[in-house]
Amino acid sequence: MNGNICQGGLFTLQESTVSENMENDSDKILDEVTSGDYKYGFYTDIEADQIAKGLNEDVVRMISQRKGEPGWLLEFRLRAYRHWLTMKMPGWANLKIPEIDYQDIIYYSAPRQKVAPGSLDEIDPELKKTFDRLGIPLDEQKHLSGVAVDAVMDSVSVATTFRETLAEMGIIFSSFSEAVKEYPDLVKRYLGSVVPYTDNYFAALNSAVFSDGSFCYIPKGVRCPMELSTYFRINAANTGQFERTLLVADEESYVSYLEGCTAPMRDENQLHAAVVEIVSERGAEVKYATVQNWYPGDKNGRGGIYNFVTKRGICKGDNSKISWTQVETGSAITWKYPSCILKGDNSVGEFYSVAVTNNHQQADTGTKMIHIGRNTRSTIVSKGISAGVSQNSYRGLVKVLKKASGARNFSQCDSLLLGDKCGAHTFPYIEVDNQTAVIEHEATTSKIGEDQIFYCNQRGISTEDAIGLIVNGYAREVINKLPMEFAVEAQKLLQISLEGSVG
Amino acid sequence: MLVIDNLKASINGKQILKGISLHVKEGEVHAIMGPNGSGKSTLAAILAGREFAAIDGGSVSYFGRNLLDMAPEERSRDGLFLGFQYPIEIPGVSMVNFMKTAINEHRKYRGLEPLSASDFLKLMREKKELVEIDSTLTNRSVNEGFSGGEKKKNEIFQMAMLEPRLAILDETDSGLDIDALRIVANGVNKLKRKDSSVIVITHYQRLLDFIVPDVVHVLYDGRIVKTAGKELALELEEKGYDWIKKEAEKTEESWRVNPQ
Ligand SMILES: Nc1ncnc2c1ncn2[C@@H]1O[C@H](COP(=O)(O)OP(=O)(O)OP(=O)(O)O)[C@@H](O)[C@H]1O
Ligand SMILES: [Mg+2]
């Protein structure tokens, strides 16, 4: 743990002196651990509408053109692209990121559907089958009751369920592309308002080439009656996925949103650089949960997704609330800091995270809580679990501005180690400009005890199951924040991702 | 059901068990006593399958099977229960979840369906009454923040849930107050079936007033140096271990002079 003060501005986690924790150069340690099987590693052979590899202004224009976008959006993209050209990849994270050749990536790949689906029944059966296999049926009848899904494959949304049901309440839930067409004013008003394209390298890249994602608007006073969710699937090879999610909760509204993701197993790495923006107006509450299960690479560290994501929400109005919950088990490399800007007085930001790394995975994840309004409160609960030769870092910033009198933060950062070849690191940054603020930070590091496993064994529980139990017990506080159905999924996922990691 | 024959084991090259032989028949209660560090817990842990000691020789048969070849979880499912001298805490894992997982693993082993939630809760309630364990304890995480005595009671509760054929209770009595001691002992007696056996490891005759052993063994320096009826426990209570130690050392010397 170190207590470096971050000099950063509001919107960037700045480079800081974190190199002292780069101690584990353990690439050469090829353990005999057999990792659990990744169940979602299949590939769907479906014709795709793709553009050639490479990135330049023409590519940006081409993406915009394929999507039939209005001029202002193309302008936004081009500005972002030009800005991106002036930037360098951030180097401050506790990550070893191999050189990425941005010219070797396909920036647009859309599964070709014979006819554009007018209704859910017209979706390509092959696509339907794919999502069925992923446990995400696109038939409304078959679906988990009370969950609406936007299914995104590679660069485009292929289906959104329950749109009509939701529309009756004035809730807009659609793919980003459709929202641009149907609600241009709303999109224009909020796009880039929380994560400007100047924010960071990957946000700039995303702003230039983003292809699809979900858009959601909850009108004043409406409590969204079902879970909204987006399921992201990378399918095509050599493509990057750059999706954009924009979620606006108007005054006194409520929504709970869930995002899931998987990708085929491939030997090469694939880039996923998403942006999520949330706006919570006066008295509104947004719960945003992620179960991230991108392909993590094989047990020798070959392949896997680079998950470089910018997620941020603003509690714009008084008494508003944003709560992030994430269960991160996948990806070869994760770089992600879902954050809250607590602008409204009495607004509340929460971050609950479980991040698992096994084999050669690396994660540098955490949050930023920016207290601007008075009596703003934030809670951070981060549970890192490292196994294999993985590296797992928590990085968090709690910043209290001058006017934020009465601000409070509680942070709890725990690390659990399985085995002794992995690493856990904590980088908390605290910046306080108001003397009335109360900041509490607790951190622990523990190991799964051999004695705990034996105790379980002695009661008839196998070692694999024992690890599952112990890890889920450790992560319970976070898992409990997930909607019921997903909590069960997340528990299984935790167990699977750690299979073979001990003894 | 359990035949231990000349079992030898060492930890980090140091010999801890130096040739233990013990025969437990169905329905019997055996007590193992002996000074601190003599190897009682080591023996219990080896029987339960903890891999911390190297087996240097000897054999253990459990209902005719080679116990030492069985994985610890299989020993448990096959009816071997160890009440830990120092029960382990598992934060965040509720007793309910823990026991449900355990019970269902045991049932699966016997080819039975998992218990329904309501049947499971009913079973829990029953067994809680049997060992008079506080309801709130089972709503908490496994042993987390339990007092010493509560942990021991919780071991007996788990034993009640799993209904073992062979229970090895490692100092389940230490740390218990007088009432708890009686409750725990009563629990063990009630759980005792004609075909099940118990090995109690204890330092105190007191427990043996409640759980009456058929045989008492004294383990000293990795060997069973004396085996007798329940009156041996009384004798030890009165005279301590010195006389046993002396006797044992004499045998040791004569053995050195005339190695067989
Ligand atoms: N994991 C270990 N590593 C090293 N030595 C050990 C280990 N476990 C036990 N020992 C040693 O083995 C010997 C026997 O210990 P054991 O715990 O079996 O004794 P015990 O008879 O149960 O004693 P007590 O009555 O105090 O519980 C002791 O000398 C102890 O220090
Ligand atoms: Mg002992």
Side-chain angles (χ1 to χ4, degrees), chain A residues 451-453 455-456 461 466 469-471 473-474, chain B residues 87-95 98 140-145:
Chain A
D451 51 353
Q452 289 178 321
I453 293 175
Y455 192 71
C456 294
I461 301 167
L469 263 183
I470 295 165
V471 164
Y474 166 78
Chain B
I88 308 296
E89 302 191 0
I90 312 180
V93 178
S94 70
M95 272 306 295
F98 181 68
R140 285 164 50 183
S141 297
V142 179
N143 292 320
E144 197 188 21

Side-chain angles (χ1 to χ4, degrees), chain A residues 452 455 457-460, chain B residues 76-77 80 82 89 155 158:
Chain A
Q452 289 178 321
Y455 192 71
N457 288 159
Q458 212 305 302
R459 299 309 186 238
Chain B
S76 164
R77 294 168 194 167
L80 189 149
L82 172 64
E89 302 191 0
E155 294 293 290
Q158 294 176 51

Side-chain angles (χ1 to χ4, degrees), chain A residues 469-483:
Chain A
L469 263 183
I470 295 165
V471 164
N472 274 303
Y474 166 78
R476 187 161 76 166
E477 219 181 322
V478 176
I479 302 278
N480 280 350
K481 295 283 167 187
L482 290 173

Side-chain angles (χ1 to χ4, degrees), chain B residues 229-248:
Chain B
K230 60 173 187 284
E231 64 291 340
L232 176 57
L234 275 173
E235 203 175 344
L236 289 171
E237 184 96 346
E238 257 168 51
K239 304 202 277 186
Y241 286 115
D242 268 0
W243 63 282
I244 297 259
K245 287 183 188 172
K246 282 201 190 95
E247 247 175 55

Side-chain angles (χ1 to χ4, degrees), chain A residues 70-126:
Chain A
W72 63 265
L73 193 49
L74 175 60
E75 273 313 302
F76 174 85
R77 287 177 182 279
L78 289 172
R79 278 199 306 274
Y81 175 69
R82 288 168 197 149
H83 188 76
W84 180 72
L85 289 176
T86 69
M87 300 175 91
K88 276 214 313 259
M89 212 164 107
W92 42 259
N94 187 20
L95 299 170
K96 290 207 180 81
I97 307 175
E99 191 82 37
I100 296 171
D101 181 356
Y102 291 91
Q103 298 307 332
D104 197 34
I105 293 172
I106 296 170
Y107 287 85
Y108 184 85
S109 175
R112 191 170 280 153
Q113 304 207 45
K114 306 271 168 331
V115 269
S119 81
L120 293 174
D121 308 330
E122 290 164 28
I123 297 167
D124 191 307
E126 202 53 41

Side-chain angles (χ1 to χ4, degrees), chain A residues 120-138:
Chain A
L120 293 174
D121 308 330
E122 290 164 28
I123 297 167
D124 191 307
E126 202 53 41
L127 285 177
K128 246 190 203 168
K129 235 193 300 172
T130 300
F131 282 94
D132 269 341
R133 264 180 92 177
L134 297 170
I136 314 289
L138 298 177

Side-chain angles (χ1 to χ4, degrees), chain A residues 331-351:
Chain A
S331 298
I333 307 179
T334 295
W335 179 98
K336 178 179 167 190
Y337 316 90
S339 304
C340 298
I341 300 168
L342 303 171
K343 185 157 173 272
D345 290 348
N346 311 313
S347 59
V348 176
E350 294 177 340
F351 174 75

